[in-house]
């Protein structure tokens, strides 16, 4: 679900100018959703530049929670400093800004349902078919893949994107190997607008005991 503020009911909002769309597609080297969904392992590098984010999508907060029968359990939360400036369309930014490590512990692999909440703003142009494709690998073997789409996001808006993941049941031997192999599980998250890649984030995961050395 998406919550946005402000909104204009019934207003017809044009797509981003063609020049913006061309810039976005050129910066992303014409990487398509079909291409990333066919990848057999994590990418060696980022598939688009920071400047591909011509829609000025700016993430302010992100939470991960376990969805259980008797409620929810918060597993991770990060929130941007409100005084931090909006992202610049500069390719000089270090790639560490779009890479994160998560140490969840072994219990995470036992949750059948995971929920995430992403709070973000966008600039003056609307988002049509805002699509997130998330690919998870363990030692270059695909273990799960997710694909979510928001049909439309209003320009100059504050939004909350709620996503529910149904987690795959892992073979017990594979689960044990994942737990005993910290940081060997990796993911690529690709964000598209109208099939043009605008953002690419990477992550690594540690499912070992939380009190164990990283």
């Amino acid at each position: 679900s998406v919550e946005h503020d402000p909104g204009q009911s019934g207003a017809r909002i044009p797509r981003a100018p063609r020049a913006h769309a061309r810039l976005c597609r050129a910066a992303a080297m014409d990487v398509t959703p079909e291409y990333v969904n066919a990848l057999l392992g994590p990418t060696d590098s980022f598939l688009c530049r920071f400047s591909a984010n011509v829609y000025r999508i700016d993430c302010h907060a992100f939470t991960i929670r376990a969805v259980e029968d008797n409620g929810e359990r918060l597993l991770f939360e990060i929130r941007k400093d409100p005084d931090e400036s909006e992202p610049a369309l500069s390719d000089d930014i270090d790639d560490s800004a779009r890479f994160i490590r998560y140490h969840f512990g072994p219990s995470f692999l036992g949750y059948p349902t995971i929920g995430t909440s992403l709070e973000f703003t966008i600039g003056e142009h609307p988002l049509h078919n805002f699509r997130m494709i998330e690919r998870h690998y363990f030692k270059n073997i695909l273990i799960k893949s997710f694909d979510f789409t928001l049909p439309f996001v209003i320009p100059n808006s504050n939004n909350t994107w709620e996503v529910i993941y149904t987690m795959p049941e892992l073979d017990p031997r594979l689960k044990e190997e994942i737990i005993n192999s910290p940081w060997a599980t990796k993911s690529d998250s690709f964000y598209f607008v109208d099939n043009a890649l605008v953002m690419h984030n990477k992550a690594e995961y540690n499912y070992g005991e939380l009190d164990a050395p990283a």
Side-chain angles (χ1 to χ4, degrees):
S1 64
V2 179
E3 302 168 3
H4 46 71
D5 177 29
Q8 296 181 351
S9 176
R12 184 181 182 277
I13 303 174
R15 294 174 184 264
R18 291 181 180 179
H20 277 256
R22 285 198 300 269
L23 172 61
C24 190
R25 286 179 169 81
M29 301 176 292
D30 289 328
V31 175
T32 65
E34 293 75 19
Y35 173 78
V36 301
N37 270 327
L39 291 171
L40 300 179
T43 63
D44 294 329
S45 60
F46 291 94
L47 299 188
C48 67
R49 299 177 179 179
F50 281 100
S51 57
N53 185 11
V54 295
Y55 297 90
R56 294 193 175 277
I57 302 164
D58 188 9
C59 300
H60 291 263
F62 181 63
T63 61
I64 302 174
R65 63 196 187 278
V67 181
E68 303 174 300
D69 292 338
N70 58 348
E72 299 182 345
R73 181 192 304 270
L74 183 65
L75 303 175
F76 175 84
E77 182 175 24
I78 188 171
R79 188 167 295 275
K80 180 180 177 180
D81 185 334
D83 295 328
E84 186 176 338
S85 60
E86 68 176 38
L89 295 180
S90 171
D91 294 324
D92 295 329
I93 302 173
D94 191 274
D95 278 335
S96 61
R98 46 183 174 172
F99 172 81
I100 191 169
R101 279 185 153 192
Y102 297 103
H103 189 179
F104 285 132
S107 61
F108 186 96
L109 297 176
Y111 294 121
T113 307
I114 295 293
T116 66
S117 177
L118 175 66
E119 297 177 23
F120 68 97
T121 59
I122 67 168
E124 61 181 332
H125 301 295
L127 306 184
H128 292 266
N129 300 315
F130 185 32
R131 183 175 179 183
M132 178 185 70
I133 298 175
E134 194 173 306
R135 310 270 289 175
H136 292 252
Y137 305 90
F138 175 65
K139 295 184 177 179
N140 293 323
I141 299 173
L142 181 68
I143 55 175
K144 51 191 172 184
S145 183
F146 304 98
D147 195 333
F148 304 98
T149 300
L150 290 178
F152 182 74
V153 182
I154 294 174
N156 297 313
S157 60
N158 301 310
N159 308 273
T160 301
W161 192 355
E162 299 277 355
V163 171
I164 298 296
Y165 298 78
T166 300
M167 307 302 284
E169 187 173 348
L170 299 174
D171 177 88
R173 290 174 297 180
L174 176 60
K175 183 186 293 188
E176 183 178 1
E177 189 176 356
I178 290 174
I179 292 171
N180 294 329
S181 305
W183 313 120
T185 305
K186 306 176 188 297
S187 71
D188 286 296
S189 297
F190 305 96
Y191 296 85
F192 293 86
V193 176
D194 259 354
N195 291 325
L197 183 63
V198 296
M199 296 191 302
H200 177 192
N201 296 329
K202 286 180 161 292
E204 292 182 351
Y205 305 83
N206 182 350
Y207 297 104
E209 295 293 342
L210 292 175
D211 57 353

